[in-house]
């Protein structure tokens, strides 16, 4: 691009704020639009961004549309942006249904524009470092993954879209999809999902806590826990990846950030090894959006593709179905072109 890179953020809620803060820190001019004009004005004022009075006005002013709206609105907005010839960045989940996600991909391919899904956990340095340990073969073949993401129930009004499964998919789709995507990134395609959920079995409690077991095509097993049942302001994540020769783990409540435990050997004579921590303070939202910008400007690949977004959504919807029905949901072979 010869002109300055310009981005339009659609949605002035929590994720719109996170993305706008990252774009501003990256020095990228931004325009904001929201169905609530007052909210858009207030958010833009905090970050020195411009405000558009309509989606059409925003599209005319930018090169890239960054979709940060409720999940069920993603497809319609992304398709309109693609039809206007704009690249699209979309907050996860990519869409509310696989069919909507496929329509987004098709629209962007037809228009010749890029589509990125913001699976930000792939940019958290701790998670990147743990995957690198696996990719380097330090712990052997991954066999068992344990991933946890635990928070309090979002402090929103009872009618908020978060709590409407028709809009958000519920906690399993909105929150646990982070770790479903990461599990697939580390251990490969998922062929079966089983899940139990408090919300499915005791909806009157008004909280949710779910546990899913993913069976990977490789034979690895991922245990994924998600929760909206903790007391505020808890937000805790953890990972453990056990392989044939060792283990790597991370817990957001414990230091150091990443620890590996390797089987004794010539290269591992010193036992526990802490990975370098100097990069772990980098903002993952900035890392994510910077990589997407570079991919757009230079025509390079990003570490997460729209197809990855569809496959993560497929796993999340299978988990939600399993929680509702009590049955194991089996997935067919992932679409060609999906990436690890």
């Amino acid at each position: 691009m010869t002109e300055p890179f310009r981005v339009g953020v659609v949605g002035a809620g929590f994720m719109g704020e996170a993305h706008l803060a990252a774009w501003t820190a990256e020095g990228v001019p931004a325009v904001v639009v929201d169905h609530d004009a007052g909210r858009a004005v207030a958010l833009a004022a905090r970050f020195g961004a411009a405000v558009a009075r309509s989606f059409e006005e925003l599209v005319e002013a930018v090169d890239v549309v960054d979709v940060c709206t409720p999940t069920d609105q993603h497809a319609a907005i992304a398709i309109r942006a693609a039809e206007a010839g704009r690249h699209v960045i979309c907050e996860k989940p990519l869409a509310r249904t696989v069919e909507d996600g496929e329509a987004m991909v098709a629209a962007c391919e037809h228009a010749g524009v890029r589509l990125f899904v913001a699976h930000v956990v792939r940019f958290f340095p701790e998670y990147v470092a743990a995957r690198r340990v696996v990719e380097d073969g330090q712990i052997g073949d991954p066999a068992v993954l344990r991933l946890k993401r635990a928070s309090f129930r979002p402090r929103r009004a009872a009618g908020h879209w978060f709590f409407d499964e028709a809009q958000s998919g519920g906690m399993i789709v909105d929150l646990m999809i982070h770790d479903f995507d990461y599990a697939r990134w580390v251990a490969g395609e998922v062929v079966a999902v089983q899940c139990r959920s408090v919300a499915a079995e005791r909806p009157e409690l008004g909280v949710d806590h779910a546990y899913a077991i993913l069976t990977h095509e490789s034979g690895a097993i991922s245990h994924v826990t998600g929760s909206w049942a903790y007391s505020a302001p808890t937000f805790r994540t953890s990972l453990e990846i056990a392989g044939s020769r060792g283990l790597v783990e991370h817990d957001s409540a414990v230091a150091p950030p990443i620890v590996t435990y390797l089987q004794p050997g010539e290269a591992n004579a010193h036992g526990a090894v802490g990975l370098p921590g100097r990069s772990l303070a980098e903002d993952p939202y900035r890392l994510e959006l910077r990589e997407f910008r570079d991919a757009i400007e230079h025509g390079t690949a990003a570490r997460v593709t729209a197809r990855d977004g569809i496959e993560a959504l497929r796993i999340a919807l299978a988990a939600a179905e399993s929680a509702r029905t009590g049955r194991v949901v089996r997935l067919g072979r992932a679409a060609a072109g999906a990436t690890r």
Side-chain angles (χ1 to χ4, degrees), residues 220-248:
I221 300 292
S222 290
H223 302 262
V224 182
T225 302
S227 186
W228 277 352
Y230 283 63
S231 59
T234 302
F235 195 104
R236 182 173 180 175
T237 63
S238 62
L239 71 84
E240 177 186 290
I241 306 170
S244 55
R245 293 200 300 273
L247 176 146
V248 57

PDB file of all heavy atoms in Angstrom, residues 220-248:
ATOM      1  N   ALA A 220      -3.779 -37.886  20.245  1.00  0.00           N
ATOM      2  CA  ALA A 220      -3.677 -37.044  21.440  1.00  0.00           C
ATOM      3  C   ALA A 220      -5.070 -36.730  21.988  1.00  0.00           C
ATOM      4  O   ALA A 220      -6.064 -36.745  21.255  1.00  0.00           O
ATOM      5  CB  ALA A 220      -2.935 -35.750  21.102  1.00  0.00           C
ATOM      6  N   ILE A 221      -5.115 -36.435  23.279  1.00  0.00           N
ATOM      7  CA  ILE A 221      -6.355 -36.084  23.966  1.00  0.00           C
ATOM      8  C   ILE A 221      -6.182 -34.706  24.602  1.00  0.00           C
ATOM      9  O   ILE A 221      -5.168 -34.457  25.257  1.00  0.00           O
ATOM     10  CB  ILE A 221      -6.703 -37.104  25.065  1.00  0.00           C
ATOM     11  CG1 ILE A 221      -6.875 -38.511  24.467  1.00  0.00           C
ATOM     12  CG2 ILE A 221      -7.955 -36.685  25.825  1.00  0.00           C
ATOM     13  CD1 ILE A 221      -8.076 -38.664  23.571  1.00  0.00           C
ATOM     14  N   SER A 222      -7.169 -33.831  24.405  1.00  0.00           N
ATOM     15  CA  SER A 222      -7.153 -32.520  25.061  1.00  0.00           C
ATOM     16  C   SER A 222      -8.313 -32.427  26.044  1.00  0.00           C
ATOM     17  O   SER A 222      -9.461 -32.716  25.692  1.00  0.00           O
ATOM     18  CB  SER A 222      -7.270 -31.391  24.036  1.00  0.00           C
ATOM     19  OG  SER A 222      -6.107 -31.277  23.251  1.00  0.00           O
ATOM     20  N   HIS A 223      -7.996 -32.038  27.274  1.00  0.00           N
ATOM     21  CA  HIS A 223      -8.995 -31.778  28.307  1.00  0.00           C
ATOM     22  C   HIS A 223      -9.128 -30.264  28.432  1.00  0.00           C
ATOM     23  O   HIS A 223      -8.155 -29.587  28.785  1.00  0.00           O
ATOM     24  CB  HIS A 223      -8.552 -32.374  29.643  1.00  0.00           C
ATOM     25  CG  HIS A 223      -8.298 -33.851  29.601  1.00  0.00           C
ATOM     26  ND1 HIS A 223      -9.220 -34.772  30.017  1.00  0.00           N
ATOM     27  CD2 HIS A 223      -7.216 -34.560  29.163  1.00  0.00           C
ATOM     28  CE1 HIS A 223      -8.728 -35.990  29.867  1.00  0.00           C
ATOM     29  NE2 HIS A 223      -7.512 -35.889  29.342  1.00  0.00           N
ATOM     30  N   VAL A 224     -10.306 -29.734  28.136  1.00  0.00           N
ATOM     31  CA  VAL A 224     -10.503 -28.282  28.098  1.00  0.00           C
ATOM     32  C   VAL A 224     -11.582 -27.890  29.096  1.00  0.00           C
ATOM     33  O   VAL A 224     -12.712 -28.400  29.036  1.00  0.00           O
ATOM     34  CB  VAL A 224     -10.894 -27.808  26.685  1.00  0.00           C
ATOM     35  CG1 VAL A 224     -11.039 -26.282  26.660  1.00  0.00           C
ATOM     36  CG2 VAL A 224      -9.859 -28.264  25.647  1.00  0.00           C
ATOM     37  N   THR A 225     -11.230 -26.998  30.005  1.00  0.00           N
ATOM     38  CA  THR A 225     -12.175 -26.503  31.009  1.00  0.00           C
ATOM     39  C   THR A 225     -12.432 -25.029  30.764  1.00  0.00           C
ATOM     40  O   THR A 225     -11.501 -24.252  30.555  1.00  0.00           O
ATOM     41  CB  THR A 225     -11.616 -26.678  32.431  1.00  0.00           C
ATOM     42  OG1 THR A 225     -11.327 -28.056  32.658  1.00  0.00           O
ATOM     43  CG2 THR A 225     -12.609 -26.190  33.472  1.00  0.00           C
ATOM     44  N   GLY A 226     -13.698 -24.642  30.795  1.00  0.00           N
ATOM     45  CA  GLY A 226     -14.076 -23.241  30.696  1.00  0.00           C
ATOM     46  C   GLY A 226     -15.069 -22.906  31.781  1.00  0.00           C
ATOM     47  O   GLY A 226     -15.896 -23.757  32.162  1.00  0.00           O
ATOM     48  N   SER A 227     -15.006 -21.673  32.290  1.00  0.00           N
ATOM     49  CA  SER A 227     -15.888 -21.352  33.408  1.00  0.00           C
ATOM     50  C   SER A 227     -16.290 -19.891  33.428  1.00  0.00           C
ATOM     51  O   SER A 227     -15.464 -19.001  33.205  1.00  0.00           O
ATOM     52  CB  SER A 227     -15.202 -21.691  34.740  1.00  0.00           C
ATOM     53  OG  SER A 227     -16.104 -21.522  35.816  1.00  0.00           O
ATOM     54  N   TRP A 228     -17.573 -19.682  33.706  1.00  0.00           N
ATOM     55  CA  TRP A 228     -18.107 -18.376  34.098  1.00  0.00           C
ATOM     56  C   TRP A 228     -18.686 -18.523  35.508  1.00  0.00           C
ATOM     57  O   TRP A 228     -19.734 -18.007  35.811  1.00  0.00           O
ATOM     58  CB  TRP A 228     -19.221 -17.942  33.154  1.00  0.00           C
ATOM     59  CG  TRP A 228     -18.772 -17.282  31.887  1.00  0.00           C
ATOM     60  CD1 TRP A 228     -17.515 -16.892  31.548  1.00  0.00           C
ATOM     61  CD2 TRP A 228     -19.617 -16.915  30.790  1.00  0.00           C
ATOM     62  NE1 TRP A 228     -17.516 -16.312  30.305  1.00  0.00           N
ATOM     63  CE2 TRP A 228     -18.787 -16.312  29.812  1.00  0.00           C
ATOM     64  CE3 TRP A 228     -20.983 -17.029  30.532  1.00  0.00           C
ATOM     65  CZ2 TRP A 228     -19.298 -15.822  28.599  1.00  0.00           C
ATOM     66  CZ3 TRP A 228     -21.491 -16.552  29.322  1.00  0.00           C
ATOM     67  CH2 TRP A 228     -20.654 -15.958  28.375  1.00  0.00           C
ATOM     68  N   ALA A 229     -17.987 -19.226  36.387  1.00  0.00           N
ATOM     69  CA  ALA A 229     -18.528 -19.530  37.708  1.00  0.00           C
ATOM     70  C   ALA A 229     -17.669 -19.020  38.854  1.00  0.00           C
ATOM     71  O   ALA A 229     -18.026 -19.204  40.018  1.00  0.00           O
ATOM     72  CB  ALA A 229     -18.719 -21.042  37.853  1.00  0.00           C
ATOM     73  N   TYR A 230     -16.552 -18.375  38.548  1.00  0.00           N
ATOM     74  CA  TYR A 230     -15.653 -17.890  39.588  1.00  0.00           C
ATOM     75  C   TYR A 230     -16.105 -16.527  40.105  1.00  0.00           C
ATOM     76  O   TYR A 230     -16.895 -15.833  39.463  1.00  0.00           O
ATOM     77  CB  TYR A 230     -14.215 -17.808  39.066  1.00  0.00           C
ATOM     78  CG  TYR A 230     -13.515 -19.142  38.989  1.00  0.00           C
ATOM     79  CD1 TYR A 230     -13.985 -20.155  38.154  1.00  0.00           C
ATOM     80  CD2 TYR A 230     -12.396 -19.412  39.753  1.00  0.00           C
ATOM     81  CE1 TYR A 230     -13.356 -21.390  38.083  1.00  0.00           C
ATOM     82  CE2 TYR A 230     -11.753 -20.641  39.685  1.00  0.00           C
ATOM     83  CZ  TYR A 230     -12.242 -21.620  38.844  1.00  0.00           C
ATOM     84  OH  TYR A 230     -11.615 -22.834  38.774  1.00  0.00           O
ATOM     85  N   SER A 231     -15.577 -16.138  41.256  1.00  0.00           N
ATOM     86  CA  SER A 231     -15.911 -14.821  41.798  1.00  0.00           C
ATOM     87  C   SER A 231     -15.092 -13.743  41.089  1.00  0.00           C
ATOM     88  O   SER A 231     -13.948 -13.984  40.680  1.00  0.00           O
ATOM     89  CB  SER A 231     -15.620 -14.780  43.302  1.00  0.00           C
ATOM     90  OG  SER A 231     -14.251 -15.064  43.544  1.00  0.00           O
ATOM     91  N   ALA A 232     -15.693 -12.565  40.947  1.00  0.00           N
ATOM     92  CA  ALA A 232     -14.984 -11.435  40.339  1.00  0.00           C
ATOM     93  C   ALA A 232     -13.866 -10.997  41.283  1.00  0.00           C
ATOM     94  O   ALA A 232     -14.009 -11.079  42.503  1.00  0.00           O
ATOM     95  CB  ALA A 232     -15.957 -10.294  40.090  1.00  0.00           C
ATOM     96  N   PRO A 233     -12.714 -10.532  40.753  1.00  0.00           N
ATOM     97  CA  PRO A 233     -12.408 -10.298  39.338  1.00  0.00           C
ATOM     98  C   PRO A 233     -11.566 -11.413  38.707  1.00  0.00           C
ATOM     99  O   PRO A 233     -10.744 -11.161  37.837  1.00  0.00           O
ATOM    100  CB  PRO A 233     -11.599  -9.007  39.413  1.00  0.00           C
ATOM    101  CG  PRO A 233     -10.790  -9.172  40.677  1.00  0.00           C
ATOM    102  CD  PRO A 233     -11.667  -9.947  41.646  1.00  0.00           C
ATOM    103  N   THR A 234     -11.765 -12.655  39.126  1.00  0.00           N
ATOM    104  CA  THR A 234     -10.923 -13.752  38.661  1.00  0.00           C
ATOM    105  C   THR A 234     -10.925 -13.881  37.142  1.00  0.00           C
ATOM    106  O   THR A 234     -11.986 -13.858  36.506  1.00  0.00           O
ATOM    107  CB  THR A 234     -11.426 -15.081  39.256  1.00  0.00           C
ATOM    108  OG1 THR A 234     -11.415 -14.975  40.682  1.00  0.00           O
ATOM    109  CG2 THR A 234     -10.550 -16.247  38.811  1.00  0.00           C
ATOM    110  N   PHE A 235      -9.755 -13.996  36.570  1.00  0.00           N
ATOM    111  CA  PHE A 235      -9.596 -14.484  35.198  1.00  0.00           C
ATOM    112  C   PHE A 235      -8.270 -15.217  35.182  1.00  0.00           C
ATOM    113  O   PHE A 235      -7.210 -14.604  35.220  1.00  0.00           O
ATOM    114  CB  PHE A 235      -9.604 -13.366  34.154  1.00  0.00           C
ATOM    115  CG  PHE A 235      -9.811 -13.906  32.751  1.00  0.00           C
ATOM    116  CD1 PHE A 235     -11.026 -13.780  32.123  1.00  0.00           C
ATOM    117  CD2 PHE A 235      -8.793 -14.584  32.084  1.00  0.00           C
ATOM    118  CE1 PHE A 235     -11.247 -14.297  30.849  1.00  0.00           C
ATOM    119  CE2 PHE A 235      -8.984 -15.114  30.825  1.00  0.00           C
ATOM    120  CZ  PHE A 235     -10.216 -14.966  30.194  1.00  0.00           C
ATOM    121  N   ARG A 236      -8.374 -16.540  35.123  1.00  0.00           N
ATOM    122  CA  ARG A 236      -7.182 -17.373  35.247  1.00  0.00           C
ATOM    123  C   ARG A 236      -7.118 -18.358  34.083  1.00  0.00           C
ATOM    124  O   ARG A 236      -8.130 -18.945  33.700  1.00  0.00           O
ATOM    125  CB  ARG A 236      -7.203 -18.132  36.573  1.00  0.00           C
ATOM    126  CG  ARG A 236      -5.972 -18.986  36.826  1.00  0.00           C
ATOM    127  CD  ARG A 236      -6.008 -19.566  38.224  1.00  0.00           C
ATOM    128  NE  ARG A 236      -4.830 -20.398  38.481  1.00  0.00           N
ATOM    129  CZ  ARG A 236      -4.566 -20.958  39.658  1.00  0.00           C
ATOM    130  NH1 ARG A 236      -5.379 -20.763  40.685  1.00  0.00           N
ATOM    131  NH2 ARG A 236      -3.482 -21.693  39.818  1.00  0.00           N
ATOM    132  N   THR A 237      -5.920 -18.513  33.536  1.00  0.00           N
ATOM    133  CA  THR A 237      -5.727 -19.475  32.459  1.00  0.00           C
ATOM    134  C   THR A 237      -4.558 -20.389  32.807  1.00  0.00           C
ATOM    135  O   THR A 237      -3.653 -20.005  33.548  1.00  0.00           O
ATOM    136  CB  THR A 237      -5.425 -18.771  31.124  1.00  0.00           C
ATOM    137  OG1 THR A 237      -4.198 -18.039  31.241  1.00  0.00           O
ATOM    138  CG2 THR A 237      -6.548 -17.827  30.733  1.00  0.00           C
ATOM    139  N   SER A 238      -4.603 -21.585  32.251  1.00  0.00           N
ATOM    140  CA  SER A 238      -3.475 -22.487  32.443  1.00  0.00           C
ATOM    141  C   SER A 238      -3.402 -23.464  31.278  1.00  0.00           C
ATOM    142  O   SER A 238      -4.397 -23.706  30.586  1.00  0.00           O
ATOM    143  CB  SER A 238      -3.603 -23.269  33.763  1.00  0.00           C
ATOM    144  OG  SER A 238      -4.752 -24.088  33.755  1.00  0.00           O
ATOM    145  N   LEU A 239      -2.193 -23.980  31.079  1.00  0.00           N
ATOM    146  CA  LEU A 239      -1.998 -25.014  30.071  1.00  0.00           C
ATOM    147  C   LEU A 239      -0.983 -26.012  30.578  1.00  0.00           C
ATOM    148  O   LEU A 239      -0.089 -25.672  31.348  1.00  0.00           O
ATOM    149  CB  LEU A 239      -1.556 -24.415  28.731  1.00  0.00           C
ATOM    150  CG  LEU A 239      -0.142 -23.830  28.586  1.00  0.00           C
ATOM    151  CD1 LEU A 239       0.906 -24.895  28.261  1.00  0.00           C
ATOM    152  CD2 LEU A 239      -0.131 -22.769  27.498  1.00  0.00           C
ATOM    153  N   GLU A 240      -1.157 -27.240  30.136  1.00  0.00           N
ATOM    154  CA  GLU A 240      -0.187 -28.293  30.391  1.00  0.00           C
ATOM    155  C   GLU A 240      -0.176 -29.188  29.162  1.00  0.00           C
ATOM    156  O   GLU A 240      -1.231 -29.630  28.703  1.00  0.00           O
ATOM    157  CB  GLU A 240      -0.580 -29.110  31.626  1.00  0.00           C
ATOM    158  CG  GLU A 240       0.348 -30.277  31.933  1.00  0.00           C
ATOM    159  CD  GLU A 240      -0.166 -31.122  33.078  1.00  0.00           C
ATOM    160  OE1 GLU A 240      -0.136 -30.641  34.221  1.00  0.00           O
ATOM    161  OE2 GLU A 240      -0.623 -32.255  32.821  1.00  0.00           O
ATOM    162  N   ILE A 241       0.998 -29.398  28.603  1.00  0.00           N
ATOM    163  CA  ILE A 241       1.134 -30.272  27.438  1.00  0.00           C
ATOM    164  C   ILE A 241       2.129 -31.363  27.804  1.00  0.00           C
ATOM    165  O   ILE A 241       3.302 -31.078  28.063  1.00  0.00           O
ATOM    166  CB  ILE A 241       1.621 -29.503  26.197  1.00  0.00           C
ATOM    167  CG1 ILE A 241       0.720 -28.293  25.926  1.00  0.00           C
ATOM    168  CG2 ILE A 241       1.647 -30.434  24.977  1.00  0.00           C
ATOM    169  CD1 ILE A 241       1.273 -27.355  24.855  1.00  0.00           C
ATOM    170  N   ALA A 242       1.663 -32.594  27.859  1.00  0.00           N
ATOM    171  CA  ALA A 242       2.511 -33.730  28.206  1.00  0.00           C
ATOM    172  C   ALA A 242       2.813 -34.516  26.940  1.00  0.00           C
ATOM    173  O   ALA A 242       1.909 -34.846  26.167  1.00  0.00           O
ATOM    174  CB  ALA A 242       1.812 -34.625  29.226  1.00  0.00           C
ATOM    175  N   GLY A 243       4.092 -34.801  26.743  1.00  0.00           N
ATOM    176  CA  GLY A 243       4.511 -35.569  25.588  1.00  0.00           C
ATOM    177  C   GLY A 243       5.259 -36.818  25.992  1.00  0.00           C
ATOM    178  O   GLY A 243       5.372 -37.139  27.186  1.00  0.00           O
ATOM    179  N   SER A 244       5.799 -37.494  25.003  1.00  0.00           N
ATOM    180  CA  SER A 244       6.488 -38.756  25.258  1.00  0.00           C
ATOM    181  C   SER A 244       7.814 -38.576  25.977  1.00  0.00           C
ATOM    182  O   SER A 244       8.349 -39.537  26.539  1.00  0.00           O
ATOM    183  CB  SER A 244       6.713 -39.485  23.926  1.00  0.00           C
ATOM    184  OG  SER A 244       7.401 -38.647  22.999  1.00  0.00           O
ATOM    185  N   ARG A 245       8.356 -37.345  26.007  1.00  0.00           N
ATOM    186  CA  ARG A 245       9.650 -37.130  26.653  1.00  0.00           C
ATOM    187  C   ARG A 245       9.647 -36.015  27.696  1.00  0.00           C
ATOM    188  O   ARG A 245      10.697 -35.678  28.235  1.00  0.00           O
ATOM    189  CB  ARG A 245      10.723 -36.814  25.596  1.00  0.00           C
ATOM    190  CG  ARG A 245      11.044 -37.973  24.676  1.00  0.00           C
ATOM    191  CD  ARG A 245      12.397 -37.786  23.993  1.00  0.00           C
ATOM    192  NE  ARG A 245      12.437 -36.581  23.185  1.00  0.00           N
ATOM    193  CZ  ARG A 245      12.048 -36.529  21.903  1.00  0.00           C
ATOM    194  NH1 ARG A 245      11.557 -37.607  21.319  1.00  0.00           N
ATOM    195  NH2 ARG A 245      12.137 -35.422  21.207  1.00  0.00           N
ATOM    196  N   GLY A 246       8.500 -35.442  27.966  1.00  0.00           N
ATOM    197  CA  GLY A 246       8.498 -34.371  28.948  1.00  0.00           C
ATOM    198  C   GLY A 246       7.187 -33.621  28.959  1.00  0.00           C
ATOM    199  O   GLY A 246       6.191 -34.036  28.345  1.00  0.00           O
ATOM    200  N   LEU A 247       7.203 -32.492  29.665  1.00  0.00           N
ATOM    201  CA  LEU A 247       5.976 -31.731  29.895  1.00  0.00           C
ATOM    202  C   LEU A 247       6.303 -30.255  29.927  1.00  0.00           C
ATOM    203  O   LEU A 247       7.359 -29.844  30.409  1.00  0.00           O
ATOM    204  CB  LEU A 247       5.366 -32.181  31.224  1.00  0.00           C
ATOM    205  CG  LEU A 247       4.126 -31.481  31.764  1.00  0.00           C
ATOM    206  CD1 LEU A 247       3.258 -32.490  32.514  1.00  0.00           C
ATOM    207  CD2 LEU A 247       4.511 -30.340  32.716  1.00  0.00           C
ATOM    208  N   VAL A 248       5.384 -29.433  29.415  1.00  0.00           N
ATOM    209  CA  VAL A 248       5.504 -27.986  29.526  1.00  0.00           C
ATOM    210  C   VAL A 248       4.208 -27.466  30.137  1.00  0.00           C
ATOM    211  O   VAL A 248       3.119 -27.962  29.829  1.00  0.00           O
ATOM    212  CB  VAL A 248       5.776 -27.325  28.146  1.00  0.00           C
ATOM    213  CG1 VAL A 248       4.701 -27.657  27.131  1.00  0.00           C
ATOM    214  CG2 VAL A 248       5.936 -25.808  28.281  1.00  0.00           C
TER     215      VAL A 248
END
